[in-house]
Amino acid sequence: MTSMFDQYEQASQRSKQIYVPPIRPDISTAGFIQMKLQDDGPIFIKQRVNFLPSDNIVHLVVNNNKIVIAMANNILLRIDMKNPDAPEEIDISKYAVSKKISGMFLDPLGNHLLIVLVPKDQDNPPELFYLHRKTTKLKQASKFKGHEITAVGWNFLNSSETTTGSILLGTSKGLIFETEIGLDGDKIFNTSLEQYWRQV
């Protein structure tokens, strides 16, 4: 079975060989003028990398040159592509007792990671954990205990490193919550990770 990249290479080679000239060289059949300012490069580049994970990869998220890989042995591998030779390993096994990762969501800036843990049996409720880029300790989003988060709508206007800004969380039961998760705020009065949360 050929990989997606091999199929792409084969298709691109075929498209280079077959050339059908347009009816008029300056106007295509759709009525647009064909202009190329530079040569179009391929979308994907296939190359080998020296990477051997310690266990099977179960989840992977990438944003803003930040990669987070979850492995079957409950190790998160956090890699900054600007410094790929110094990956950071985070052990989450104490949070994942009789649980497994069902989803990971990384914000567009690569600062905020949400991890959804679901029980391997039906005795325990699903849980949502938060991990900031500068920390190695997971924090539980306690208000979402019992909800399996399956989708996250990130706030692309957020530029804060300490909070997610207003985001939407979708659950497996079809509920949608609006919340803001972050590490800042006055911790004397607010011990919750969520700045606010409400069902939409």
Side-chain angles (χ1 to χ4, degrees):
M1 180 173 183
T2 60
S3 71
M4 180 176 69
F5 294 116
D6 292 335
Q7 292 174 7
Y8 171 77
E9 285 179 0
Q10 291 170 359
S12 65
Q13 293 299 326
R14 277 185 264 146
S15 67
K16 288 179 183 176
Q17 294 170 356
I18 302 170
Y19 175 73
V20 178
I23 298 168
R24 285 182 49 195
D26 57 339
I27 298 178
S28 69
T29 57
F32 296 104
I33 298 174
Q34 299 286 337
M35 291 184 65
K36 285 189 178 182
L37 299 177
Q38 57 185 347
D39 290 335
D40 291 337
I43 297 172
F44 300 106
I45 297 173
K46 183 179 172 181
Q47 65 183 22
R48 291 195 181 274
V49 293
N50 291 328
F51 177 69
L52 186 61
S54 60
D55 206 341
N56 292 335
I57 295 173
V58 292
H59 288 280
L60 181 137
V61 288
V62 180
N63 255 331
N64 197 25
N65 286 327
K66 311 277 190 305
I67 300 173
V68 181
I69 300 170
M71 293 180 278
N73 59 356
N74 291 325
I75 298 289
L76 293 180
L77 192 61
R78 195 162 44 185
I79 303 170
D80 186 351
M81 291 308 294
K82 294 177 184 170
N83 188 13
D85 296 330
E88 185 177 13
E89 285 191 6
I90 302 166
D91 186 8
I92 62 166
S93 56
K94 73 177 186 178
Y95 305 100
V97 176
S98 72
K99 294 184 186 295
K100 64 180 180 179
I101 297 176
S102 78
M104 289 194 328
F105 306 95
L106 187 63
D107 80 308
L109 297 176
N111 293 326
H112 311 282
L113 177 70
L114 298 177
I115 303 168
V116 182
L117 296 177
V118 295
K120 292 179 181 175
D121 53 14
Q122 297 302 321
D123 295 337
N124 298 317
E127 294 181 277
L128 179 67
F129 288 90
Y130 171 79
L131 181 66
H132 190 269
R133 177 177 55 93
K134 294 182 179 177
T135 64
T136 58
K137 185 178 178 186
L138 294 181
K139 301 216 182 268
Q140 183 181 11
S142 58
K143 292 184 178 167
F144 293 100
K145 190 169 189 167
H147 296 285
E148 181 183 354
I149 304 301
T150 56
V152 176
W154 294 104
N155 183 351
F156 284 89
L157 299 177
N158 180 40
S159 60
S160 172
E161 285 192 19
T162 56
T163 68
T164 61
S166 297
I167 59 173
L168 295 175
L169 303 176
T171 71
S172 60
K173 295 178 182 173
L175 301 174
I176 298 174
F177 292 96
E178 180 182 354
T179 189
E180 182 173 353
I181 298 174
L183 297 176
D184 69 355
D186 190 358
K187 290 296 181 184
I188 296 171
F189 300 108
N190 184 11
T191 59
S192 177
L193 187 63
E194 302 88 355
Q195 307 293 321
Y196 74 92
W197 74 284
R198 66 184 174 102
Q199 185 175 345
V200 181

